[in-house]
Amino acid sequence: MKAELMDFDKALELFEPVLGFEVHVELNTKTKMFCGCANEFGSGANTNTCPTCLGLPGGLPQVNKKAIESSIRLGLALGCEIAEHSRFARKNYFYPDTAKNFQTSQYDDPICHDGAITIELESGRLVTVEIERAHMEDDAGKLTHMGGATGRIQGADYSLVDYNRGGVPLVEIVTQMIEGAEHDAPEIGKTYVAAIREIVKALGVSNARMEEGNVRCDANVSLRPRGSNVLGTRTETKNVNSLRSVERAVRYEIQRQAAVLSAGGTITQETRHWHEDTGITSAGRPKSDADDYRYFPEPDLLPMAPSREWVEELRLTLPEPPAARRKRLQAAWGFVNLEFQDVVNSDLLDAVEATVAAGASAQAARKWWTGEIARLANVAVVPADSLVAPAQLAALIELVEAGTLTDRLARQVLEGVIAGEGAPAEVVAGRGLAVVSDDGALITAIDTALLGQPDVLAKIRDGKVQAAGAVIGAVMKAMRGQADAARVRELVLERAATIE
Ligand SMILES: [Zn+2]
């Protein structure tokens, strides 16, 4: 049911939004967090399981070193301190997707704490988001509720459980309270999650595909009446799985809570579900600060004490921060904001960079990637950068710039490259697509066209140069498009003056 909503601006007049985000990042280690099972998306149900991740008696966990390494690198990239001593804790609760009856998480000794990242909004406003902690934990399995209309447990006939995801390593990144967001609150949510996604991608520690749940965001929103010092009651909208949804969910909660509070109602501290299709949140389960998970130190795992030398070694492996890289590339390529944003939003930064590195001009690389290749990728429903290798595109662009291909011919060559007919030069040879640069062949076609249209010839001779268009068109058609239109035009004017 759609709740009563207050106009966004009106809500901001009456209340100050206070935000907080918990982002879960699934690490792309080969194996799970505490056992040797494959960490793989899309395997047959319950095939990647063992006694340890199923919580069977006698199963003993062992920490995945790569997961610790990834967590430390992520923490360093978030400006966090890396704890000298850190340990795992059991978070006890029963739910069918958690075979162990507890989640192995971290409680009072997280591996990373006290960081911050600065994000830039479209207006240019810089917002520093402080990170309280980034801790390691394992993921739960996945429940699928069958038979109901909504895919939720309510109304379902039965539920299936797949424990393949159970035990996959996660890092949960928890922000401090974000105050002063004001009208930018929804955009801050989106931009913050985008920044986290960009960082984990640059680090290579996660596949970072939100649609596969590699990066999931819980958004906490509360409203404080203007002039009050008391924080409002917050809701926690769970598992928001796209950047746009984070923005919409934050905006929706602000508008919904403002309507409830203005009508004299109270906000229930609870989790809420985000509904992508209808764009609303609905009540989940009540959640109090006193939720007692009976945390206690995990007795089967040793505490971690990463040496300072190792932490410093890992710091040296950090990539250039994504925000700095974007600034550097935009300056180097000379793109205006709109051009650059187009590349970033299409997730083609790496592709354009690699194409430029292979020798193409930045503008040509941008034009091809965000134009024709993006169009073909859209039709094929695949990522654009999976269609053609940057080096192939650079070779194609070189053929255009050398005058061997017109843009139109180049698009045909590109199709050939994508169809697996070989490198651009091979497709040009194989399909016979090169521009006819032999003036003799062009002149024969031009003379035929001019003599075939004596009225046009007369007009050109009268100085009505625009009449040449008809002849140029006829010649291009005769050459099956494989001629350079500018050269044809030059020759048409020359021949019109001299032809008998
Ligand atoms: Zn296992």
Side-chain angles (χ1 to χ4, degrees), residues 83-88 106 109-112 136 302-306:
E84 299 205 12
H85 295 278
S86 168
R87 59 183 175 174
F88 288 97
Q106 296 194 292
D109 300 296
I111 189 156
C112 312
M136 303 173 70
L302 287 169
M304 292 176 284

Side-chain angles (χ1 to χ4, degrees), residues 32 34-38 48-54 163 166-167:
K32 291 186 182 182
F34 300 114
C35 63
C37 292
N48 300 332
T49 55
C50 74
T52 298
C53 57
L54 288 175
Y163 288 118

Side-chain angles (χ1 to χ4, degrees), residues 102-411:
F102 61 85
Q103 180 184 29
T104 310
S105 183
Q106 296 194 292
Y107 186 51
D108 42 12
D109 300 296
I111 189 156
C112 312
H113 58 91
D114 294 307
I117 60 168
T118 298
I119 57 174
E120 184 174 352
L121 307 185
E122 268 172 42
S123 64
R125 180 184 171 193
L126 296 175
V127 177
T128 297
V129 178
E130 290 182 24
I131 312 286
E132 182 190 308
R133 55 193 278 148
H135 64 254
M136 303 173 70
E137 57 187 29
D138 60 358
D139 209 345
K142 187 172 170 48
L143 290 173
T144 309
H145 305 295
M146 310 296 288
T150 60
R152 297 194 178 272
I153 195 166
Q154 292 84 358
D157 296 327
Y158 59 96
S159 301
L160 299 173
V161 63
D162 178 3
Y163 288 118
N164 281 350
R165 200 179 64 186
V168 163
L170 294 179
V171 175
E172 179 176 345
I173 304 164
V174 183
T175 66
Q176 301 277 15
M177 232 165 35
I178 304 168
E179 299 180 81
E182 299 296 343
H183 282 75
D184 293 329
E187 191 191 345
I188 287 174
K190 180 184 79 170
T191 311
Y192 169 70
V193 179
I196 296 289
R197 191 172 146 253
E198 200 175 46
I199 288 169
V200 298
K201 215 173 149 188
L203 287 165
V205 298
S206 169
N207 296 336
R209 282 192 279 268
M210 290 190 82
E211 66 280 10
E212 287 181 11
N214 300 147
V215 177
R216 314 195 283 267
C217 172
D218 300 343
N220 295 320
V221 177
S222 68
L223 296 183
R224 172 159 57 195
R226 295 280 168 195
S228 164
N229 293 324
V230 186
L231 284 173
T233 304
R234 69 167 195 276
T235 60
E236 181 179 339
T237 304
K238 305 287 284 182
N239 291 334
V240 191
N241 281 351
S242 76
L243 297 178
R244 189 165 159 266
S245 298
V246 176
E247 185 170 31
R248 291 169 76 202
V250 169
R251 178 180 294 271
Y252 182 88
E253 269 305 287
I254 290 172
Q255 293 182 265
R256 185 189 69 84
Q257 292 184 20
V260 171
L261 293 169
S262 299
T266 51
I267 300 299
T268 312
Q269 188 166 334
E270 62 188 359
T271 65
R272 295 185 69 85
H273 300 296
W274 169 248
H275 302 269
E276 184 69 49
D277 46 350
T278 48
I280 67 166
T281 65
S282 67
R285 61 185 164 82
K287 194 175 183 187
S288 82
D289 288 326
D291 270 351
D292 195 344
Y293 289 110
R294 299 273 158 167
Y295 280 99
F296 64 85
E298 166 58 56
D300 288 339
L301 289 168
L302 287 169
M304 292 176 284
S307 76
R308 295 301 97 180
E309 292 73 27
W310 190 37
V311 170
E312 290 316 308
E313 267 170 41
L314 292 177
R315 195 190 298 279
L316 294 176
T317 70
L318 296 188
E320 179 183 17
R325 174 176 174 236
R326 275 191 270 113
K327 279 215 160 54
R328 175 176 60 79
L329 289 177
Q330 183 174 357
W333 295 343
F335 288 180
V336 299
N337 285 342
L338 214 63
E339 292 170 337
F340 194 72
Q341 271 318 311
D342 198 17
V343 173
V344 172
N345 295 341
S346 314
D347 224 353
L348 289 168
L349 209 54
D350 290 345
V352 172
E353 189 183 26
T355 310
V356 171
S361 76
Q363 280 298 358
R366 179 191 64 77
K367 196 189 79 183
W368 280 96
W369 279 113
T370 61
E372 184 65 6
I373 301 176
R375 190 186 67 78
L376 293 170
N378 205 17
V379 172
V381 202
V382 294
D385 57 5
S386 71
L387 277 185
V388 56
Q392 304 269 44
L393 179 60
L396 182 69
I397 291 170
E398 204 183 311
L399 290 173
V400 175
E401 279 167 7
T404 310
L405 294 175
T406 60
D407 270 9
R408 200 180 70 85
L409 292 172
R411 285 196 289 275

